[in-house]
Amino acid sequence: MRVDVPGLEEEIAGTTQGDRLEVTVWRGGQLVVPDPLSVSKWSYDWDADRQVQGQSTITIADPDGSLAPWSMGDPLGPGGSRLQVTYVFGLSGTRVPLGWWRIRSVDPVEEWRVYGSGSSVIRVPGGGSVTIDADEETSTALLSRLDAEVVRASTVVAEVRRLLEDVCPVVAHASVVDRPVPSGYVYDTGRMDGVEDLLNTIQATHRMGPDGSFEIVPAAGVGPVWTIAGGDSGAQVKTIRSLSDDGVYNAAVSTGEMPGGRPLVGRSYLTTGPLAWGGPFGQVPVFHQAVATTQDGVNADARTVLETSKAAGDVDLKVTCLTHPGIQPHDLVTVLASTMAGEQELVGRVVGMAMTSADSDAGTTPAKSMTLTVRVTAEALEAVAWRVRRG
Amino acid sequence: MGDIPNLRLLPGLVVAQGGDLQVNVNGTILPAALQFGYIPSAGDPVNVLVVDGRAVVLGARAPGPRPGSGTVSGSASGGRVPVSTPAGTLDCRYTGTAPSIGTLVFIDWQMSTPRLMAGDAATVPDPVDPAPVPPPPAPPPVISTGDTYVNAIDSASFQAGGNWQARGTDVYQWFYSSFKENRGAWFYGNGPLQLAGRTITRFQFRIPARLRVGDYNAALTAHFYRHTSRTRPGGDVIREDGPQNVVLASGQPPAWVDLPVAWGQHLVNNGGGFGLLGSPYLAMAGVGSDPASGQLCFSWRRSA
């Protein structure tokens, strides 16, 4: 959750008025466009399975042609300018920072009017717009490849912090268990690849925070932070479920080695339920490189990997709900699903999110609804399915 | 362009099986091809490279340095003789008669157990005028100093006995007449933590434009304190350092002012922000009307 503001949920569920997106432009720490941009259309989406999770497209009005960039170094040029984006609620004035976004590409559209003045032709701008694609700061980490870099810190969180020290702040959620960097681990040139490999060894993942910080969070998610209920005062509009076997495992194989290099392997199996190892689902293992140096260690690692894989969720629910700008990828939310057996509570992890603008008589405002992709565990759905079958 | 080969590097263990030596990978005997140049022994940890379904043993994993020569340091026992090397004393096998103590010997590493080559190693004198050696490749340059800007993600004024809502994002100090006392503050989230581990050499704060509040035609003093909150707390912030007094001129425009370097260092190490406390009554624009209100500039030096 990006902010912890009392009364925010009630404000989201109620009538909103004058909500807006405030976008300011910065370059090298300097505010390069004095006023917030006049945004006429925008869309923001996040996908937790991408390295650069947050991507956005905004269109701004540029009536006098002063903002349309010509060079990489112009305020809206893709040469390192950043957008600071804040979602502002009109009624309460509550501000939800959406963090920092790096301009990746820009498409100015200009119209010119021409009139003759003696023998020369005068051109004046006839209005235009600029469409900007901007990505979260992880895009900077992706672009700044590693040059002759080796592991220098002893633990994973400290090493990730070091890898990103020139990109953004790094904070670890309190429930992340830090562990030593696997011995002998070496980097290729991908900074984000290295970061994700390291986080994978501690069953953690990442997202960008409201202040532009890189948040390390448990792979199983953080929360629950929000309950999406239906009904008159609820926030839920529609829920569609989509079941797939992608990323579903019923065994984990962890490999490690003892200090002298003697290899170790630990295995853990799902033995119960419809996805049990060797049942109709088959034998579907996930492999993991453990940092453990004992047999007990790799056994425990295999169990943890299987547990994390289960908790991270298997089945995606596409939820349309009222726009809540405070939700982040990897937040856990509770979806109250309507079933033949009444309302059922499902806790899932947000793995996708999309917010867009809407046009109305009031101008450009955030659309009242957004879409979330919520990944729930197969176990939770089994419980619901059981109740539905039982009636 | 051909297909991309499927490559995996796996740790293996040489095991004795049916009178032969085999390679165990993850609990299975893998039909891995051995290469010339490596003589396996049971118990050797090895690297196995699997390329498109064919496995090759790359050789035993050396746990430490493998010196090429050493000096016999003791008498032979059980078919082995101790040899003193820069990597410690090694127990080496030998051929024929054991070399005598003090002999310089060559060490062969085709097996994980070191073996001595037959005969004495000739000593080589240091070259009188060594040829110049070109330097090894240089590491990439490191940026050792710089300025980093951190924006306030929020600003507001806490009213004593009230809440943070009354003044929007504007930053007020003290009160007017019988109203509640305002204690404005700026918040930075985790922003300053990016510089953790660096030495702060200069620390500046961007005061925003002064608002037409109170005795705005007179120069008045704002009292800055360092507080510990990264975001708006439920009640007032906890102030740890201050006051640092900054005189705001009549119609004061935005300006950079220096705050104590120790405050900046504390912020990058621990997080936190800055706020106002005390009289007189005055106000400054918050992040809602001036996005750069309360912006920080850290000048830093990389410590290592």
Side-chain angles (χ1 to χ4, degrees):
Chain A
M1 185 73 93
R2 289 192 172 87
V3 290
D4 179 17
V5 178
L8 184 59
E9 287 184 20
E10 288 76 3
E11 179 152 23
I12 287 162
T15 304
T16 47
Q17 186 183 339
D19 292 2
R20 65 196 164 88
L21 207 66
E22 187 179 284
V23 182
T24 52
V25 190
W26 302 79
R27 190 178 174 81
Q30 305 298 322
L31 187 65
V32 285
V33 179
D35 297 313
L37 299 179
S38 170
V39 183
S40 57
K41 189 178 177 187
W42 52 265
S43 70
Y44 280 77
D45 80 274
W46 288 264
D47 182 342
D49 297 330
R50 288 195 298 240
Q51 281 189 333
V52 180
Q53 293 170 351
Q55 299 182 343
S56 70
T57 303
I58 69 172
T59 303
I60 60 161
D62 183 25
D64 60 359
S66 62
L67 291 173
W70 279 100
S71 80
M72 298 291 276
D74 278 346
L76 292 184
S81 291
R82 306 291 200 277
L83 304 177
Q84 188 182 23
V85 182
T86 310
Y87 189 110
V88 184
F89 284 90
L91 281 176
S92 66
T94 299
R95 300 167 64 82
V96 181
L98 298 184
W100 289 85
W101 299 73
R102 179 187 174 117
I103 295 179
R104 301 298 306 276
S105 67
V106 55
D107 296 297
V109 177
E110 294 168 330
E111 285 178 21
W112 293 89
R113 291 166 201 270
V114 179
Y115 67 90
S117 171
S119 60
S120 63
V121 173
I122 307 290
R123 294 163 201 273
V124 292
S129 65
V130 183
T131 301
I132 302 165
D133 289 325
D135 292 351
E136 281 183 328
E137 202 64 56
T138 27
S139 57
T140 305
L142 197 70
L143 290 171
S144 52
R145 312 260 302 230
L146 295 170
D147 177 9
E149 191 63 64
V150 293
V151 173
R152 293 179 202 276
S154 57
T155 68
V156 168
V157 171
E159 179 62 8
V160 169
R161 183 170 289 135
R162 194 188 66 79
L163 281 180
L164 297 179
E165 66 178 349
D166 289 324
V167 178
C168 60
V170 175
V171 286
H173 191 265
S175 60
V176 170
V177 181
D178 199 6
R179 293 207 177 84
V181 176
S183 64
Y185 181 74
V186 290
Y187 297 119
D188 198 358
T189 56
R191 192 177 298 263
M192 276 307 291
D193 293 340
V195 166
E196 291 198 327
D197 282 354
L198 287 169
L199 293 181
N200 192 32
T201 65
I202 59 169
Q203 277 93 50
T205 182
H206 61 88
R207 64 185 186 187
M208 292 308 290
D211 46 11
S213 60
F214 181 91
E215 297 180 351
I216 300 174
V217 293
V222 177
V225 300
W226 191 36
T227 298
I228 310 174
D232 284 349
S233 58
Q236 190 178 163
V237 178
K238 189 167 65 175
T239 299
I240 301 170
R241 56 190 183 281
S242 156
L243 284 72
S244 154
D245 61 4
D246 189 27
V248 181
Y249 305 102
N250 58 13
V253 179
S254 283
T255 53
E257 57 189 50
M258 295 167 73
R262 197 181 167 92
L264 296 165
V265 58
R267 296 184 174 89
S268 180
Y269 297 93
L270 193 66
T271 53
T272 57
L275 300 180
W277 175 263
F281 187 65
Q283 302 172 12
V284 189
V286 57
F287 296 95
H288 188 248
Q289 182 76 43
V291 292
T293 54
T294 62
Q295 186 59 48
D296 286 349
V298 289
N299 289 346
D301 187 76
R303 284 194 297 274
T304 311
V305 168
L306 191 58
E307 284 299 317
T308 306
S309 154
K310 275 162 59 185
D314 315 308
V315 179
D316 286 352
L317 300 180
K318 304 269 186 215
V319 179
T320 306
C321 59
L322 299 185
T323 300
H324 189 328
I327 297 296
Q328 288 174 272
H330 302 296
D331 273 343
L332 294 179
V333 294
T334 306
V335 179
L336 297 181
S338 302
T339 73
M340 299 294 283
E343 207 167 53
Q344 299 292 331
E345 209 170 82
L346 282 170
V347 176
R349 183 169 60 99
V350 173
V351 295
M353 177 171 166
M355 294 195 299
T356 59
S357 61
D359 284 327
S360 68
D361 292 344
T364 302
T365 57
K368 189 62 186 167
S369 69
M370 67 175 183
T371 56
L372 288 182
T373 306
V374 179
R375 194 164 290 169
V376 298
T377 66
E379 275 177 350
L381 282 181
E382 283 309 321
V384 172
W386 181 78
R387 287 194 201 103
V388 171
R389 280 196 297 265
R390 197 162 153 261
Chain B
M1 292 290 287
D3 291 337
I4 299 169
N6 185 4
L7 293 174
R8 280 197 302 161
L9 187 66
L10 300 167
L13 187 70
V14 177
V15 291
Q17 183 122 344
D20 200 2
L21 292 176
Q22 308 266 20
V23 179
N24 179 313
V25 175
N26 289 347
T28 305
I29 301 298
L30 208 67
L34 281 159
Q35 309 292 298
F36 285 105
Y38 165 57
I39 304 167
S41 311
D44 280 357
V46 291
N47 281 324
V48 181
L49 182 65
V50 179
V51 184
D52 286 341
R54 285 189 302 162
V56 176
V57 177
L58 293 182
R61 298 180 45 153
R66 300 192 299 170
S69 62
T71 308
V72 176
S73 60
S75 47
S77 165
R80 295 174 186 237
V81 64
V83 175
S84 171
T85 73
T89 301
L90 303 169
D91 242 3
C92 303
R93 294 186 63 189
Y94 56 90
T95 56
T97 313
S100 52
I101 295 171
T103 310
L104 184 66
V105 284
F106 280 136
I107 303 170
D108 166 76
W109 286 100
Q110 283 193 47
M111 289 180 77
S112 53
T113 304
R115 302 180 302 170
L116 300 184
M117 290 185 184
D120 297 2
T123 53
V124 181
D126 292 337
V128 178
D129 187 13
V133 179
V142 174
I143 298 169
S144 57
T145 61
D147 292 338
T148 296
Y149 293 85
V150 173
N151 283 22
I153 58 164
D154 196 9
S155 64
S157 297
F158 177 73
Q159 289 197 320
N163 56 35
W164 290 93
Q165 318 296 340
R167 299 292 187 188
T169 63
D170 289 336
V171 185
Y172 280 65
Q173 174 181 285
W174 202 237
F175 60 92
Y176 175 72
S177 183
S178 59
F179 284 93
K180 292 171 180 166
E181 182 190 342
N182 297 288
R183 299 169 181 175
W186 289 267
F187 303 94
Y188 300 90
N190 298 304
L193 302 182
Q194 184 181 350
L195 298 174
R198 295 186 201 179
T199 304
I200 304 303
T201 53
R202 187 180 181 194
F203 179 50
Q204 296 170 87
F205 179 95
R206 183 183 176 280
I207 52 170
R210 192 173 161 188
L211 300 180
R212 290 159 70 94
V213 160
D215 196 1
Y216 57 83
N217 275 326
L220 295 178
T221 303
H223 309 291
F224 280 81
Y225 289 78
R226 181 180 63 73
H227 69 72
T228 57
S229 296
R230 297 183 191 179
T231 55
R232 276 187 216 191
D236 196 3
V237 294
I238 297 168
R239 295 169 197 80
E240 285 192 336
D241 270 330
Q244 186 74 26
N245 294 331
V246 175
V247 176
L248 304 182
S250 166
Q252 173 76 49
W256 287 99
V257 295
D258 276 87
L259 287 181
V261 172
W263 286 21
Q265 190 71 55
H266 193 279
L267 221 61
V268 303
N269 295 345
N270 306 288
F274 301 97
L276 306 176
L277 180 74
S279 71
Y281 185 52
L282 55 85
M284 286 177 263
V287 293
S289 51
D290 177 0
S293 172
Q295 197 185 17
L296 306 176
C297 177
F298 297 89
S299 301
W300 50 262
R301 190 178 70 237
R302 213 180 287 263
S303 304

